[in-house]
Amino acid sequence: MTKITIYNEFYHEQTEEKVREVYPQGIHGALADFLRSDENEVRCFTLETIEEITDEVLDDTDVMLWWGHLRHSAVPDEVAQRVRNAVLKGMGIIFLHSGHHSKPFRLLMGTSCDVSWREDGDMERLWNICPSHPIMRGIGRYFELEHEETYSEPFTLPEPDQVLMIGWYEGGEVFRSACTFHRENGRIFYFQPGHETFPIFYDPNVQTVIRNAVEWVKPMYRVEKLYSPHIKKIGEE
Amino acid sequence: MTKITIYNEFYHEQTEEKVREVYPQGIHGALADFLRSDENEVRCFTLETIEEITDEVLDDTDVMLWWGHLRHSAVPDEVAQRVRNAVLKGMGIIFLHSGHHSKPFRLLMGTSCDVSWREDGDMERLWNICPSHPIMRGIGRYFELEHEETYSEPFTLPEPDQVLMIGWYEGGEVFRSACTFHRENGRIFYFQPGHETFPIFYDPNVQTVIRNAVEWVKPMYRVEKLYSPHIKKIGEE
Amino acid sequence: MTKITIYNEFYHEQTEEKVREVYPQGIHGALADFLRSDENEVRCFTLETIEEITDEVLDDTDVMLWWGHLRHSAVPDEVAQRVRNAVLKGMGIIFLHSGHHSKPFRLLMGTSCDVSWREDGDMERLWNICPSHPIMRGIGRYFELEHEETYSEPFTLPEPDQVLMIGWYEGGEVFRSACTFHRENGRIFYFQPGHETFPIFYDPNVQTVIRNAVEWVKPMYRVEKLYSPHIKKIGEE
Amino acid sequence: MTKITIYNEFYHEQTEEKVREVYPQGIHGALADFLRSDENEVRCFTLETIEEITDEVLDDTDVMLWWGHLRHSAVPDEVAQRVRNAVLKGMGIIFLHSGHHSKPFRLLMGTSCDVSWREDGDMERLWNICPSHPIMRGIGRYFELEHEETYSEPFTLPEPDQVLMIGWYEGGEVFRSACTFHRENGRIFYFQPGHETFPIFYDPNVQTVIRNAVEWVKPMYRVEKLYSPHIKKIGEE
């Protein structure tokens, strides 16, 4: 059983008719829909219930998904730190789309995580550059999204462990759209698709990547922190 | 002219006779002594004057050195953020010894940066594992420090760009003692030697490494931040 | 079912009484003994039968283990290329001890893969620096080998993806003893313990690491090579 | 004084009128033209004179540039090994365009270094994703080449140290167009622009990148190989 915790700020869906039409149950609802299964147990939190993301919840989570955008700054600093600490202890996490600017992602990366962007509904073609990586299982040479918000390099990240996909936009931009990282005991996946006004999370390829990523970031086992001054010296009894 | 800014918390030197004897002018004084030259202009700050490390000072700094230990938590969060931001913009920085747990280092790394340690005055042999790296110029196969505080793995860092030296301690420990990183436009060097009770910063090999590192982390040129939504699309006039 | 193919040059065991006593069935025999199980099917080859390591055998192999030492140069170039190519296609491989200088390892790394060494039977303590990595499952803070050949840095490798263990030797040396790499579709693990005159492959920690590594380098699935000039251009029907 | 050695197979220029028109003095001639200066001494070799690229020449070279395409297989294996060895000892090297498939590049990388391609004269826009890297000095957010051969991912490389530019092609492809590596003591730069039928090497941005890269791959100093069994053990006199 994989225990999945989804955070979605759930703001656009309540303030913009266009977004509500695409995601009537919220982005978290759409994510939960395709992740929920006999193997996966899914819980959802929104900005309204964010204080309920306690250490107990995180200790009981294998994989977290994070979607946020306009309300990043409303996320309490303590919750952001809690999430970061849970990742360092071993919880897997997936940051979706505008989650690149969320507090926990920036805390984990250490950089500003800025991107350039355009909202013109460009077609995006996402190229699979690591076809044997477990997250790319079932993905061909590339897949396309008819309309997506354009994100553009430079994306001010620390060097990813691996870049799995590079996005091509019809207006002339490129973007490192799928990146893996590890920080201490936790695995991190950033995935660019997922603008709120397009039905991205219903796309079968996007769902395949996210499902694979849940398996990949999930901790295999938990470790206790191994530091202390009490090391047995050579020659000590 | 390289503009160097040294921060040393300057606490042990005032509270412990033993440390004052080793560093009568403070650790910052010892660092400044061997770095000051016709090519290098050096300024020093201590915990008492830390609020004077303003954005203006950092904008006018090529390379910062940071030594801190028991008083990490007294460093104001705004100063730590300021230093982090200056690195992301391009300022080079060198963290010495217990600086691994300083606020700016942890902000830049995103991890807890923990180590294990012992204070038994072990002999340390530092192995040069990247002999052609500019920071290793003039360093042979290894060099030794007669007495040093023991630091031990696991050192909970993000993967360094390169590990330049690995330390061997007579009591049985190993440590990644010299590590390079880059974050956005800034270069970062972590160097483990430098416990306050031993005359480490008078050691010629340690001085060579630090002098080389100043040259290596120094920005070659400054860049303006390149992000914004105003990208000229293909086909636009 | 994991299909494992072991190559051991099987030279010392036939020419040195001391080695025969430690490994009466050969090093391959000792490896096969603890790897063979209901989940693992094991085949062994030696220098005498090396020509039988055909493409068919490699296509039918999930994970290869390679132990060689004095007879590296007797390995036919075609076999070395075949093994390299199988790794690039997805076969996992584990190089043990003096396998650092084997032809397939050097082909895959691109560097000379040199080490320094001493044969004084030093005690080695291997530090676990990535406790949450799947290969480190079940390994504590460190483990010790009473006697091992000493290998010393610099180890002229390309930067590993991750260094999992650093070895400490009582005579004063350090070594990156457990390193992961990926090349195209294949995963590679280098593990330093395994000198022929000591009973290293009977050590429970060494066996745990090798068993875990078999699981970790094993391909999750096989991919077809994705290159060709026949990409559907944007706008093409 | 930087000693530069250019290898160009000089085949297309002699067999295709179209190429001769673009590069009447050969591609090596065009490269030498903008590299030759008071600080740079330039020597050129072609497939006809390739045997003259001796160890003496390479020992006397700081930076090599390599352009080859249809005649890769005609390069003698000993010359390819010689070049690889010189890089491992510290010589810098720049592989241009179809040099991704040259023997020395593949020897150094260890992988097949395959790409997909199309010859439709697409417009390429090259994005600068590491604006503060010394090789990117003087390069803006991106630059464009009116016509270039299309190279497409996956590019089967080992993970580069840094990807400096990503290419966008109007037909829908992306490519890691500027990549840095180091192998032992040598620095390596791969740069994708440079198809023989287009005047790429006259482009001021391309020239800037190559000039910067010469400075960046150039060894700062030469090291002696540091391996041998003769390490002074702890406690030895």
Side-chain angles (χ1 to χ4, degrees), chain A residues 84 107 110-112 114-118 120 152 156 159 171-173 182 184 225 227-229 231 233-234, chain B residues 84 107-108 110-112 114-118 120 152 156 159 171-173 182 184 225 227-229 231 233-234:
Chain A
R84 165 195 177 265
L107 283 173
T111 61
S112 50
D114 293 325
V115 307
S116 298
W117 75 98
R118 272 195 302 110
D120 296 323
S152 175
T156 54
E159 221 62 36
E173 290 83 2
H182 70 282
E184 299 198 25
K225 200 133 198 178
Y227 77 102
S228 89
I231 310 159
K233 273 192 291 179
I234 297 294
Chain B
R84 166 195 176 264
L107 284 173
L108 285 160
T111 61
S112 50
D114 293 326
V115 308
S116 297
W117 74 99
R118 272 195 302 112
D120 296 323
S152 174
T156 54
E159 220 63 35
E173 291 83 2
H182 71 284
E184 297 198 28
K225 200 131 197 181
Y227 78 103
S228 89
I231 309 160
K233 274 193 290 181
I234 298 294

Side-chain angles (χ1 to χ4, degrees), chain C residues 127-177:
Chain C
W127 286 87
N128 176 359
I129 76 170
C130 290
S132 63
H133 193 286
I135 297 181
M136 289 296 102
R137 186 174 200 163
I139 299 299
R141 203 164 185 178
Y142 58 76
F143 68 85
E144 295 179 353
L145 298 170
E146 205 182 332
H147 300 292
E148 178 50 300
E149 184 183 21
T150 299
Y151 273 12
S152 175
E153 296 281 348
F155 185 7
T156 55
L157 285 174
E159 220 62 36
D161 289 352
Q162 289 187 261
V163 179
L164 304 185
M165 305 198 89
I166 297 179
W168 176 103
Y169 296 92
E170 61 180 310
E173 291 83 3
V174 294
F175 197 69
R176 287 171 289 174
S177 291

